[in-house]
Amino acid sequence: GEAVVEGFALLLISSLVLGLSGVGDGSGEDEWARLAAEEGEEEPEELKVYNPEVAKAYFLQRPVTLLQRGWRSSVLLGWWSTLVFIDAKTNQRPEDDEELKR
């Protein structure tokens, strides 16, 4: 129980820190802009082009928005991790699927 909570907290904090530090090559589409568009939210103009310094300044001025996005990411990652765990426990991993081996 306690280890799971500590692990989750560490994951959330590291996601936020890595996101603010601009880790990544910057060559791809802005993932947040894509997710925001799918949810019907308009992404601010200054965030439509990847620039870690601009994003850092933007989100440091909006800690609630930063926490909301961190929470969304954590929920999505947690859900995916749970499904992977369940697949492993029930022997339904892709490498065990006979149809995929053909």
Side-chain angles (χ1 to χ4, degrees):
E2 188 175 320
V4 171
V5 172
E6 288 175 2
F8 178 75
L10 180 61
L11 174 67
L12 179 59
I13 290 168
S14 63
S15 297
L16 293 174
V17 169
L18 289 175
L20 285 177
S21 65
V23 171
D25 64 5
S27 62
E29 291 290 320
D30 181 3
E31 187 69 11
W32 279 117
R34 186 184 66 75
L35 288 173
E38 286 178 4
E39 294 175 358
E41 297 175 13
E42 184 61 33
E43 190 72 359
E45 200 61 40
E46 59 263 39
L47 297 179
K48 289 186 177 181
V49 175
Y50 179 76
N51 183 330
E53 293 304 315
V54 171
K56 181 177 181 178
Y58 178 86
F59 286 112
L60 287 178
Q61 294 174 359
R62 296 163 181 83
V64 173
T65 302
L66 178 63
L67 290 173
Q68 287 173 329
R69 290 189 177 198
W71 177 252
R72 285 182 198 161
S73 294
S74 299
V75 168
L76 290 172
L77 180 60
W79 180 246
W80 177 80
S81 299
T82 300
L83 293 176
V84 169
F85 177 79
I86 291 170
D87 285 350
K89 287 295 182 185
T90 59
N91 290 324
Q92 294 181 356
R93 298 173 297 186
E95 61 269 15
D96 295 335
D97 192 347
E98 289 300 321
E99 288 183 23
L100 292 177
K101 289 181 181 178
R102 294 181 200 170

